[in-house]
């Protein structure tokens, strides 16, 4: 399996989904890095928002216009968002945040009419497994950590929103229950579990083919 080739194939398929005049959310990671030049090559008139400084800089370097997604005057909806993932299950559950951008990625995905996940075949899993990335508020961090089981702080810089990156290493057998429990925990800003209903389609490259998984179908 040539992972880089598969990333590019999935990225090519996603680039073809973008239409002139669209507002597009740009995810984070190496698969998105493959997507950005392919999108730029299409020469479309676009408005883009980025989920990380890395993506913003790469997008601009390829000539894509990136505008802020901060505050009340920013775009309030996107036509399409494209992002990578750390794990995808066939039932549509996705784990993201290996690059610590999952909070912004989840907001951009939620703003998009269509959220497309692009992955190489090594990301497809039978069942989700730990770790699940977390973003924690620095305020009250010691208390949050005491209330969370099986969580370790990641040796990573704070998120762009000033929060602490951590990982949950416990049981992931019931992602819906885990997602609800983490979301209900004060101090957890966001977690990296993306439910099936948040994703419109998952493009998985296998060798020279791209499989399209539509969660819920
Ligand atoms: C960043 C992410 C990435 O999309 C995820 O880690 C996949 O990255 P890559 O495309 O490099 O494998 O969620 O927070």
């Amino acid at each position: 399996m040539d992972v880089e080739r598969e990333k590019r194939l999935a990225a090519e398929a996603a680039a073809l989904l973008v239409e002139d005049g669209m507002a597009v959310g740009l995810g984070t990671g190496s698969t998105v890095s493959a997507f950005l030049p392919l999108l730029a090559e299409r020469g479309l008139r676009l408005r883009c928002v980025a989920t990380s400084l890395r993506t913003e800089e790469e997008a601009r370097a390829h000539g894509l216009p990136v505008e802020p997604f901060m505050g009340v005057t920013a775009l309030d909806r996107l036509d399409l968002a494209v992002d990578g993932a750390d794990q995808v299950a066939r039932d549509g559950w996705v784990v993201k945040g290996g690059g610590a951008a999952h909070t912004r990625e989840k907001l951009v995905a939620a703003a998009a009419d269509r959220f497309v996940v692009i992955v190489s075949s090594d990301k497809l899993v039978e069942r989700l497994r730990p770790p699940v990335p977390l973003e924690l508020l620095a305020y009250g961090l010691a208390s949050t950590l005491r209330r969370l089981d099986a969580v370790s702080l990641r040796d990573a810089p704070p998120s762009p929103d000033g929060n602490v990156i951590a990982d949950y290493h416990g049981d992931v057998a019931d992602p819906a229950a885990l997602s609800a429990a983490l979301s209900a925990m004060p101090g957890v800003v966001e977690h990296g579990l993306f439910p099936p209903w948040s994703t419109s389609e998952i493009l998985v490259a296998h060798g020279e083919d791209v499989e399209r998984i539509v969660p819920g179908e």
Side-chain angles (χ1 to χ4, degrees), residues 7 28-31 83-86 96-102 105 123:
K7 287 179 185 179
T28 292
S30 57
T31 316
D83 207 343
D86 302 306
K96 292 186 45 53
H102 46 290
E105 290 171 336
K123 303 294 182 61

Side-chain angles (χ1 to χ4, degrees), residues 4-217:
E4 296 311 312
R5 169 91 183 131
E6 289 187 347
K7 287 179 185 179
R8 186 183 159 90
L9 281 177
E12 277 173 0
L16 292 175
L17 300 177
V18 184
E19 295 171 16
D20 198 47
M22 278 187 166
V24 182
L26 307 173
T28 292
S30 57
T31 316
V32 169
S33 295
F35 168 72
L36 297 174
L38 297 167
L39 178 60
E41 270 171 24
R42 296 205 53 212
L44 304 171
R45 284 172 300 122
L46 302 172
R47 298 180 70 181
C48 300
V49 300
T51 52
S52 63
L53 183 60
R54 168 186 167 179
T55 295
E56 183 174 337
E57 288 175 349
E58 288 183 13
R60 288 220 168 95
H62 290 296
L64 291 166
V66 180
E67 52 189 271
F69 197 54
M70 184 73 82
V72 293
T73 56
L75 282 168
D76 62 2
R77 63 164 288 282
L78 303 167
D79 296 291
L80 180 76
V82 176
D83 207 343
D86 302 306
Q87 302 178 52
V88 300
R90 286 206 172 272
D91 62 4
W93 278 93
V94 169
V95 174
K96 292 186 45 53
H102 46 290
T103 298
R104 290 188 170 201
E105 290 171 336
K106 203 173 268 192
L107 281 161
V108 164
D113 292 348
R114 188 173 178 186
F115 177 49
V116 179
V117 170
I118 51 173
V119 289
S120 45
S121 59
D122 56 317
K123 303 294 182 61
L124 197 55
V125 295
E126 281 296 314
R127 290 164 166 264
L128 297 186
R129 50 183 180 244
V132 172
L134 301 176
E135 184 162 332
L136 306 176
L137 206 63
Y139 183 84
L141 181 62
S143 155
T144 304
L145 290 171
R146 192 175 66 79
R147 284 179 277 111
L148 285 169
D149 282 334
V151 168
S152 66
L153 296 180
R154 196 187 297 181
D155 184 15
S159 76
D161 302 297
N163 299 314
V164 176
I165 303 302
D167 291 290
Y168 167 82
H169 299 278
D171 187 10
V172 196
D174 185 346
L178 177 61
S179 174
L182 291 171
S183 295
M185 181 70 78
V188 176
V189 176
E190 197 48 85
H191 57 78
L193 285 166
F194 283 53
W197 51 90
S198 69
T199 303
S200 311
E201 63 209 279
I202 303 168
L203 302 175
V204 188
H206 302 266
E208 292 300 309
D209 298 320
V210 177
E211 178 187 8
R212 181 168 173 266
I213 298 174
V214 178
E217 260 186 12

